[in-house]
Every structure is written in C-alpha cells, then in structure tokens.
Coordinates of all heavy atoms in Angstrom, one line a residue:
M1 N 142.2 139.6 16.3 CA 141.4 139.7 17.4 C 141.8 140.8 18.4 O 141.1 141.6 18.9 CB 141.3 138.4 18.2 CG 140.0 137.8 18.6 SD 138.6 138.3 17.6 CE 137.3 137.7 18.6
A2 N 143.2 140.8 18.6 CA 143.7 141.9 19.4 C 143.5 143.3 18.9 O 143.2 144.2 19.6 CB 145.2 141.7 19.6
K3 N 143.5 143.4 17.5 CA 143.2 144.6 16.9 C 141.8 145.1 17.2 O 141.6 146.3 17.5 CB 143.4 144.5 15.4 CG 143.4 145.8 14.7 CD 144.5 145.8 13.5 CE 144.7 147.2 13.0 NZ 145.9 147.4 12.4
F4 N 140.8 144.2 17.1 CA 139.4 144.6 17.4 C 139.3 145.0 18.8 O 138.6 146.0 19.1 CB 138.5 143.4 17.2 CG 137.1 143.7 17.6 CD1 136.2 144.4 16.8 CD2 136.6 143.2 18.8 CE1 135.0 144.7 17.2 CE2 135.3 143.5 19.2 CZ 134.5 144.2 18.4
S5 N 140.0 144.3 19.7 CA 139.9 144.7 21.1 C 140.5 146.1 21.4 O 140.0 146.9 22.2 CB 140.7 143.6 22.0 OG 140.7 144.0 23.3
E6 N 141.6 146.4 20.7 CA 142.2 147.7 20.8 C 141.3 148.8 20.4 O 141.1 149.8 21.0 CB 143.5 147.8 20.0 CG 144.7 147.2 20.7 CD 145.9 147.1 19.8 OE1 146.1 148.0 19.0 OE2 146.7 146.2 20.0
R7 N 140.6 148.5 19.2 CA 139.6 149.4 18.7 C 138.5 149.6 19.7 O 138.0 150.7 19.9 CB 139.1 148.9 17.3 CG 138.5 150.1 16.5 CD 138.0 149.6 15.2 NE 139.2 149.2 14.3 CZ 139.0 148.3 13.3 NH1 137.9 147.9 12.9 NH2 140.1 148.0 12.6
A8 N 138.0 148.5 20.2 CA 136.9 148.6 21.2 C 137.3 149.4 22.4 O 136.5 150.2 23.0 CB 136.5 147.2 21.6
Q9 N 138.6 149.2 22.8 CA 139.1 149.9 24.0 C 139.2 151.4 23.7 O 138.8 152.3 24.5 CB 140.4 149.4 24.4 CG 140.4 148.1 25.2 CD 141.7 147.6 25.7 OE1 142.8 148.1 25.2 NE2 141.8 146.6 26.5
A10 N 139.6 151.7 22.5 CA 139.7 153.1 22.1 C 138.3 153.8 22.1 O 138.2 154.9 22.5 CB 140.4 153.2 20.7
K11 N 137.4 153.0 21.5 CA 136.0 153.5 21.5 C 135.5 153.8 22.9 O 134.8 154.8 23.1 CB 135.1 152.5 20.7 CG 135.1 152.6 19.3 CD 134.1 153.6 18.8 CE 134.1 153.7 17.2 NZ 133.6 155.0 16.8
E12 N 135.7 152.9 23.8 CA 135.2 153.0 25.2 C 135.9 154.2 25.8 O 135.2 154.9 26.5 CB 135.5 151.7 25.9 CG 135.1 151.7 27.4 CD 133.7 151.9 27.6 OE1 132.8 151.8 26.7 OE2 133.3 152.3 28.8
A13 N 137.2 154.4 25.6 CA 137.9 155.5 26.2 C 137.3 156.8 25.7 O 137.2 157.8 26.4 CB 139.4 155.4 25.9
E14 N 137.0 156.8 24.4 CA 136.4 158.0 23.8 C 135.1 158.3 24.4 O 134.7 159.4 24.7 CB 136.3 157.8 22.2 CG 135.8 159.0 21.5 CD 135.7 158.7 20.0 OE1 134.6 158.2 19.6 OE2 136.6 159.0 19.3
R15 N 134.3 157.2 24.6 CA 132.9 157.4 25.1 C 133.0 157.9 26.6 O 132.3 158.8 26.9 CB 132.2 156.0 25.2 CG 130.7 156.1 25.4 CD 130.2 154.6 25.5 NE 130.6 154.0 26.7 CZ 130.1 154.1 27.9 NH1 129.1 154.9 28.1 NH2 130.6 153.5 29.0
V16 N 134.0 157.4 27.3 CA 134.1 157.9 28.7 C 134.6 159.4 28.7 O 134.1 160.2 29.5 CB 135.2 157.0 29.5 CG1 135.6 157.7 30.8 CG2 134.6 155.6 29.7
A17 N 135.5 159.7 27.8 CA 135.9 161.1 27.7 C 134.8 162.0 27.3 O 134.6 163.1 27.9 CB 137.1 161.2 26.7
L18 N 134.0 161.6 26.3 CA 132.8 162.4 25.9 C 131.8 162.6 27.0 O 131.3 163.7 27.2 CB 132.1 161.8 24.7 CG 132.9 161.9 23.4 CD1 132.2 161.1 22.3 CD2 133.0 163.4 22.9
K19 N 131.6 161.6 27.8 CA 130.7 161.7 29.0 C 131.2 162.7 30.0 O 130.5 163.5 30.5 CB 130.5 160.4 29.7 CG 129.4 159.5 29.1 CD 129.3 158.2 29.9 CE 127.9 158.0 30.4 NZ 127.7 156.7 31.1
G20 N 132.5 162.7 30.2 CA 133.2 163.7 31.1 C 133.0 165.1 30.6 O 132.7 166.0 31.3
H21 N 133.2 165.3 29.2 CA 133.0 166.6 28.7 C 131.5 167.1 28.8 O 131.3 168.2 29.2 CB 133.4 166.6 27.2 CG 134.8 166.3 26.9 ND1 135.8 166.9 27.7 CD2 135.4 165.5 26.0 CE1 137.0 166.4 27.2 NE2 136.8 165.6 26.2
L22 N 130.6 166.1 28.6 CA 129.2 166.5 28.7 C 128.8 166.8 30.2 O 128.1 167.8 30.4 CB 128.3 165.4 28.2 CG 126.8 165.6 28.0 CD1 126.6 166.9 27.2 CD2 126.2 164.4 27.3
R23 N 129.4 166.1 31.1 CA 129.2 166.4 32.5 C 129.7 167.8 32.8 O 129.0 168.5 33.6 CB 129.9 165.4 33.4 CG 129.1 164.2 33.7 CD 129.7 163.4 34.9 NE 129.1 162.1 34.9 CZ 129.6 161.0 34.3 NH1 130.9 161.1 33.8 NH2 129.0 159.9 34.3
A24 N 130.8 168.2 32.3 CA 131.4 169.5 32.6 C 130.5 170.6 32.0 O 130.3 171.6 32.6 CB 132.8 169.6 32.0
V25 N 129.9 170.3 30.8 CA 129.0 171.3 30.2 C 127.8 171.5 31.0 O 127.3 172.6 31.2 CB 128.7 170.9 28.7 CG1 127.5 171.7 28.2 CG2 129.9 170.9 27.8
L26 N 127.2 170.3 31.5 CA 126.0 170.4 32.4 C 126.3 171.2 33.7 O 125.5 171.9 34.1 CB 125.5 169.0 32.7 CG 124.8 168.3 31.5 CD1 124.5 166.8 31.9 CD2 123.5 169.0 31.2
K27 N 127.5 171.0 34.2 CA 127.9 171.7 35.4 C 127.9 173.2 35.2 O 127.4 173.9 36.0 CB 129.3 171.2 35.9 CG 129.6 171.1 37.3 CD 130.9 170.5 37.6 CE 131.2 170.3 39.0 NZ 132.5 169.6 39.2
L28 N 128.5 173.6 34.0 CA 128.6 175.0 33.7 C 127.1 175.5 33.5 O 126.8 176.6 33.9 CB 129.4 175.1 32.4 CG 129.6 176.6 31.9 CD1 130.4 177.4 32.9 CD2 130.2 176.6 30.5
Y29 N 126.3 174.7 32.8 CA 124.9 175.1 32.6 C 124.2 175.3 33.9 O 123.5 176.4 34.1 CB 124.2 174.1 31.7 CG 122.7 174.3 31.6 CD1 122.2 175.1 30.6 CD2 121.8 173.7 32.5 CE1 120.8 175.3 30.5 CE2 120.4 173.9 32.4 CZ 120.0 174.7 31.4 OH 118.6 174.9 31.3
D30 N 124.4 174.4 34.8 CA 123.7 174.5 36.1 C 124.2 175.7 36.9 O 123.4 176.3 37.7 CB 123.9 173.2 36.9 CG 123.1 172.0 36.4 OD1 122.1 172.3 35.7 OD2 123.4 170.9 36.7
R31 N 125.5 176.0 36.8 CA 126.0 177.1 37.5 C 125.5 178.5 37.0 O 125.4 179.4 37.7 CB 127.6 177.2 37.4 CG 128.3 176.7 38.6 CD 129.7 177.3 38.7 NE 130.5 177.2 37.5 CZ 131.3 176.2 37.1 NH1 131.4 175.2 37.9 NH2 132.0 176.2 36.0
N32 N 125.1 178.5 35.7 CA 124.6 179.7 35.1 C 123.1 179.7 34.9 O 122.6 180.6 34.2 CB 125.3 179.9 33.8 CG 126.8 180.3 34.0 OD1 127.1 181.3 34.5 ND2 127.6 179.3 33.7
T33 N 122.4 178.8 35.5 CA 120.9 178.7 35.3 C 120.3 178.7 36.7 O 120.7 178.0 37.6 CB 120.5 177.4 34.6 OG1 121.3 177.4 33.3 CG2 119.1 177.4 34.3
C34 N 119.2 179.5 36.9 CA 118.5 179.5 38.1 C 117.5 178.3 38.1 O 116.6 178.3 37.3 CB 117.7 180.8 38.3 SG 116.6 180.8 39.7
T35 N 117.7 177.4 39.0 CA 116.9 176.2 39.1 C 116.2 176.2 40.5 O 115.6 175.2 40.8 CB 117.6 174.9 38.9 OG1 118.7 174.8 39.9 CG2 118.3 174.8 37.5
H36 N 116.3 177.3 41.2 CA 115.7 177.4 42.6 C 114.2 177.5 42.6 O 113.6 178.0 41.6 CB 116.4 178.5 43.3 CG 117.9 178.5 43.2 ND1 118.6 179.4 42.5 CD2 118.8 177.7 43.8 CE1 119.9 179.2 42.6 NE2 120.0 178.1 43.3
D37 N 113.6 177.1 43.6 CA 112.1 177.2 43.8 C 111.7 178.3 44.8 O 110.6 178.8 44.7 CB 111.6 175.9 44.3 CG 111.8 174.7 43.3 OD1 111.6 175.0 42.1 OD2 112.0 173.6 43.8
E38 N 112.6 178.6 45.7 CA 112.2 179.6 46.8 C 112.4 181.0 46.2 O 113.5 181.4 45.7 CB 113.1 179.4 48.0 CG 113.2 178.0 48.5 CD 111.9 177.6 49.2 OE1 111.5 178.3 50.0 OE2 111.4 176.5 48.9
T39 N 111.3 181.8 46.3 CA 111.4 183.2 45.9 C 110.7 184.1 46.9 O 110.0 183.6 47.8 CB 110.7 183.4 44.5 OG1 109.3 183.0 44.7 CG2 111.3 182.5 43.4
H40 N 111.0 185.4 46.8 CA 110.2 186.4 47.5 C 109.9 187.5 46.6 O 110.4 187.7 45.5 CB 111.1 186.9 48.8 CG 112.4 187.5 48.4 ND1 113.5 186.8 48.1 CD2 112.7 188.8 48.3 CE1 114.5 187.7 47.9 NE2 114.0 188.9 47.9
R41 N 109.0 188.4 47.1 CA 108.5 189.5 46.3 C 109.4 190.7 46.6 O 109.8 190.9 47.8 CB 107.1 189.8 46.6 CG 106.1 188.7 46.1 CD 106.0 188.6 44.7 NE 105.4 189.8 44.1 CZ 105.3 190.0 42.8 NH1 105.7 189.1 41.9 NH2 104.8 191.1 42.3
G42 N 109.7 191.5 45.6 CA 110.4 192.8 45.8 C 109.7 193.9 45.0 O 109.3 193.7 43.9
G43 N 109.6 195.0 45.7 CA 108.9 196.2 45.0 C 107.5 195.8 44.6 O 106.9 194.9 45.3
A44 N 107.0 196.4 43.6 CA 105.6 196.1 43.2 C 105.5 195.0 42.2 O 104.4 194.3 42.1 CB 105.0 197.4 42.7
I45 N 106.5 194.8 41.4 CA 106.4 193.9 40.3 C 107.4 192.8 40.2 O 107.4 191.9 39.3 CB 106.4 194.6 38.9 CG1 107.8 195.3 38.7 CG2 105.3 195.7 38.8 CD1 108.1 195.6 37.3
W46 N 108.3 192.7 41.2 CA 109.4 191.7 41.1 C 109.2 190.5 41.9 O 108.7 190.5 43.0 CB 110.7 192.4 41.5 CG 111.1 193.5 40.6 CD1 110.9 194.8 40.9 CD2 111.7 193.5 39.4 NE1 111.3 195.6 39.8 CE2 111.9 194.8 38.9 CE3 112.2 192.4 38.6 CZ2 112.4 195.1 37.7 CZ3 112.7 192.7 37.3 CH2 112.9 194.0 36.9
T47 N 109.6 189.3 41.3 CA 109.8 188.1 42.1 C 111.3 187.8 42.0 O 111.9 187.9 41.0 CB 109.0 186.9 41.4 OG1 107.6 187.3 41.3 CG2 109.2 185.6 42.1
I48 N 111.8 187.6 43.2 CA 113.3 187.5 43.4 C 113.7 186.1 43.9 O 113.1 185.6 44.9 CB 113.8 188.6 44.3 CG1 113.4 190.0 43.7 CG2 115.4 188.5 44.4 CD1 113.6 191.1 44.7
C49 N 114.6 185.4 43.3 CA 115.1 184.1 43.7 C 115.8 184.3 45.0 O 116.8 185.1 45.1 CB 115.9 183.5 42.7 SG 116.6 181.9 43.2
D50 N 115.5 183.4 46.0 CA 116.2 183.4 47.3 C 117.6 182.8 47.1 O 118.5 183.1 47.9 CB 115.5 182.6 48.3 CG 114.1 183.2 48.8 OD1 114.0 184.4 48.5 OD2 113.3 182.5 49.4
G51 N 117.8 181.9 46.2 CA 119.0 181.2 46.0 C 120.1 182.0 45.3 O 121.3 182.0 45.7
C52 N 119.7 182.8 44.2 CA 120.7 183.4 43.4 C 120.4 184.9 43.1 O 121.3 185.6 42.5 CB 121.0 182.7 42.1 SG 119.6 182.7 41.0
G53 N 119.2 185.4 43.5 CA 118.9 186.8 43.3 C 118.4 187.1 41.9 O 118.1 188.3 41.6
K54 N 118.2 186.1 41.1 CA 117.6 186.4 39.7 C 116.2 187.0 39.9 O 115.5 186.7 40.9 CB 117.5 185.1 38.9 CG 117.0 185.4 37.5 CD 117.0 184.2 36.6 CE 116.4 184.6 35.2 NZ 116.4 183.5 34.3
Q55 N 115.9 188.0 39.0 CA 114.6 188.7 39.2 C 113.7 188.5 38.0 O 114.2 188.5 36.8 CB 114.9 190.2 39.4 CG 115.8 190.5 40.6 CD 116.1 192.0 40.7 OE1 115.9 192.7 39.8 NE2 116.6 192.3 41.9
W56 N 112.4 188.4 38.2 CA 111.5 188.4 37.1 C 110.4 189.5 37.4 O 109.9 189.6 38.5 CB 110.7 187.0 37.2 CG 111.6 185.8 36.9 CD1 111.8 185.2 35.7 CD2 112.3 185.1 37.9 NE1 112.6 184.1 35.9 CE2 113.0 184.0 37.2 CE3 112.5 185.2 39.2 CZ2 113.8 183.1 37.8 CZ3 113.4 184.3 39.9 CH2 114.0 183.3 39.2
A57 N 110.2 190.2 36.3 CA 109.2 191.3 36.4 C 107.8 190.7 36.0 O 107.7 190.0 35.0 CB 109.6 192.5 35.5
D58 N 106.8 191.1 36.7 CA 105.4 190.6 36.4 C 105.0 191.0 35.0 O 104.3 190.3 34.3 CB 104.4 191.1 37.4 CG 104.6 190.5 38.8 OD1 105.4 189.5 38.9 OD2 104.0 191.0 39.8
D59 N 105.4 192.3 34.6 CA 105.0 192.7 33.3 C 105.8 192.2 32.1 O 105.7 192.5 31.0 CB 105.0 194.3 33.2 CG 106.3 194.9 33.5 OD1 107.3 194.1 33.8 OD2 106.5 196.1 33.3
R60 N 106.8 191.3 32.5 CA 107.6 190.6 31.5 C 107.3 189.1 31.6 O 108.2 188.3 31.2 CB 109.1 190.9 31.7 CG 109.4 192.3 31.5 CD 109.8 192.6 30.0 NE 110.1 194.0 29.7 CZ 111.3 194.5 29.7 NH1 112.4 193.8 29.9 NH2 111.4 195.8 29.5
G61 N 106.2 188.7 32.1 CA 105.8 187.3 32.2 C 105.9 186.7 33.6 O 105.4 185.6 33.8
G62 N 106.7 187.4 34.4 CA 106.8 186.9 35.8 C 107.6 185.6 36.0 O 108.2 185.1 35.0
F63 N 107.6 185.1 37.2 CA 108.4 183.9 37.6 C 107.7 182.7 36.9 O 106.5 182.5 37.0 CB 108.4 183.8 39.1 CG 109.0 182.5 39.5 CD1 110.4 182.3 39.4 CD2 108.3 181.5 40.1 CE1 111.0 181.1 39.8 CE2 108.9 180.3 40.5 CZ 110.2 180.1 40.4
V64 N 108.6 181.9 36.3 CA 108.1 180.6 35.8 C 109.1 179.5 36.4 O 110.3 179.6 36.2 CB 108.2 180.5 34.3 CG1 107.8 179.2 33.7 CG2 107.4 181.6 33.6
P65 N 108.5 178.6 37.2 CA 109.4 177.5 37.8 C 110.2 176.8 36.8 O 109.8 176.6 35.6 CB 108.4 176.6 38.4 CG 107.1 177.4 38.6 CD 107.1 178.3 37.5
Y66 N 111.5 176.5 37.2 CA 112.4 175.9 36.2 C 112.0 174.5 35.9 O 111.7 173.7 36.7 CB 113.8 175.9 36.8 CG 114.8 175.2 35.9 CD1 115.4 176.0 34.8 CD2 115.2 173.9 36.1 CE1 116.2 175.3 34.0 CE2 116.0 173.3 35.2 CZ 116.6 174.0 34.1 OH 117.4 173.4 33.3
V67 N 112.2 174.2 34.6 CA 112.1 172.8 34.1 C 113.2 172.7 33.1 O 113.4 173.5 32.2 CB 110.7 172.6 33.3 CG1 110.6 171.2 32.8 CG2 109.5 172.9 34.3
D68 N 113.9 171.5 33.1 CA 115.0 171.3 32.2 C 114.4 171.3 30.7 O 113.4 170.6 30.4 CB 115.6 169.9 32.4 CG 116.7 169.8 33.3 OD1 117.4 170.9 33.6 OD2 117.1 168.7 33.8
P69 N 115.1 172.1 29.8 CA 114.7 172.0 28.4 C 115.0 170.5 27.9 O 115.9 169.8 28.5 CB 115.7 172.9 27.7 CG 116.2 173.8 28.8 CD 116.2 173.0 30.1
P70 N 114.4 170.0 26.9 CA 114.5 168.7 26.4 C 116.0 168.3 26.2 O 116.4 167.2 26.5 CB 113.7 168.6 25.1 CG 112.8 169.7 25.2 CD 113.4 170.8 26.1
E71 N 116.8 169.3 25.6 CA 118.2 169.0 25.3 C 119.0 168.7 26.6 O 119.8 167.8 26.6 CB 118.8 170.2 24.6 CG 118.2 170.5 23.2 CD 116.9 171.4 23.3 OE1 116.4 171.6 24.4 OE2 116.5 171.8 22.2
I72 N 118.7 169.5 27.6 CA 119.4 169.3 28.9 C 119.0 168.0 29.6 O 119.8 167.2 30.1 CB 119.2 170.5 29.8 CG1 119.8 171.8 29.2 CG2 119.8 170.3 31.2 CD1 121.3 171.7 28.9
A73 N 117.7 167.7 29.5 CA 117.2 166.5 30.1 C 117.8 165.3 29.4 O 118.2 164.3 30.1 CB 115.7 166.4 30.0
A74 N 117.9 165.3 28.1 CA 118.6 164.2 27.3 C 120.0 164.1 27.7 O 120.5 163.0 27.8 CB 118.4 164.5 25.8
A75 N 120.7 165.2 27.9 CA 122.1 165.2 28.2 C 122.3 164.6 29.6 O 123.2 163.8 29.9 CB 122.7 166.6 28.2
R76 N 121.4 164.9 30.6 CA 121.5 164.3 31.9 C 121.3 162.8 31.9 O 122.0 162.1 32.6 CB 120.4 164.9 32.8 CG 120.7 166.4 33.1 CD 119.8 166.9 34.3 NE 119.6 168.3 34.3 CZ 120.5 169.2 34.7 NH1 121.7 168.8 35.1 NH2 120.2 170.5 34.7
V77 N 120.4 162.3 31.0 CA 120.2 160.9 30.9 C 121.5 160.2 30.3 O 121.9 159.2 30.7 CB 119.0 160.6 30.0 CG1 118.9 159.1 29.6 CG2 117.7 161.0 30.7
A78 N 122.1 161.0 29.3 CA 123.3 160.4 28.6 C 124.5 160.2 29.5 O 125.3 159.4 29.2 CB 123.6 161.3 27.4
V79 N 124.6 161.1 30.5 CA 125.8 161.0 31.4 C 125.6 160.1 32.6 O 126.5 159.9 33.4 CB 126.3 162.4 31.9 CG1 126.7 163.2 30.7 CG2 125.3 163.1 32.8
R80 N 124.4 159.5 32.7 CA 124.2 158.6 33.9 C 125.1 157.4 33.8 O 125.4 156.9 32.8 CB 122.7 158.1 33.8 CG 121.8 159.0 34.6 CD 120.5 158.3 34.8 NE 119.4 159.4 34.9 CZ 118.2 159.3 34.4 NH1 117.8 158.2 33.9 NH2 117.4 160.2 34.6
Ligands
ZN1 ZN1 117.9 181.1 41.6

C-alpha cells in the first residue's frame, strides 16, 4: 500500500512540475505575442499597437484582433 502511495505522490509531483513548466511556456508566449486591443493609425497604411508598437500594414491584411489559438487556449485550461 505504501508503495502505491509513493507512486501516486511521484505522479502528483510530476503533474505539478509539468503544470509549472507549461505556465512558464505560456508566460513566454504572452511576452512575445501582441494581445493588445488599443491601436492607432500611422502613415497611410499602418495600424500600430499602443501597447507594444507592433505594426500591421493594410496591404498585408491589416490589424486582426488577437484570439488565442486552440493550442494556447487548451494550455491555459490545463494550468488552471
Ligand atoms: Zn501589442
């Protein structure tokens, strides 16, 4: 019985560690992804993020509001 409990504890510790690693990956993703909504226009064709300065050219599709890709949304649910 003690052996099963040790195994269960090891599994739980592994699960907690993996969640921590996934949280760190999401943090890195968020730091490198523009998720801001506030923008202003620049020049004739640019939309510029007020938060981070990312630029979108109208002739390259223009600004598209951020939405989590399914993989990131699933990861956010997994670390709750
Ligand atoms: Zn931004």
Side-chain angles (χ1 to χ4, degrees):
M1 228 28 189
K3 191 141 191 156
F4 174 78
S5 178
E6 278 172 32
R7 197 177 298 158
Q9 281 180 350
K11 278 268 181 208
E12 177 60 14
E14 184 181 86
R15 196 185 66 82
V16 168
L18 286 172
K19 271 180 126 177
H21 295 317
L22 191 51
R23 272 197 196 95
V25 169
L26 284 172
K27 213 173 187 178
L28 181 66
Y29 173 85
D30 286 340
R31 259 206 312 270
N32 291 292
T33 305
C34 174
T35 60
H36 309 109
D37 296 322
E38 308 288 312
T39 62
H40 62 276
R41 295 292 295 175
I45 64 161
W46 297 97
T47 301
I48 304 167
C49 176
D50 292 345
C52 67
K54 184 172 178 180
Q55 302 178 344
W56 296 264
D58 290 348
D59 62 352
R60 296 268 174 100
F63 174 71
V64 179
Y66 178 81
V67 177
D68 269 342
E71 296 85 351
I72 297 298
R76 291 194 203 285
V77 170
V79 298
R80 269 189 211 150

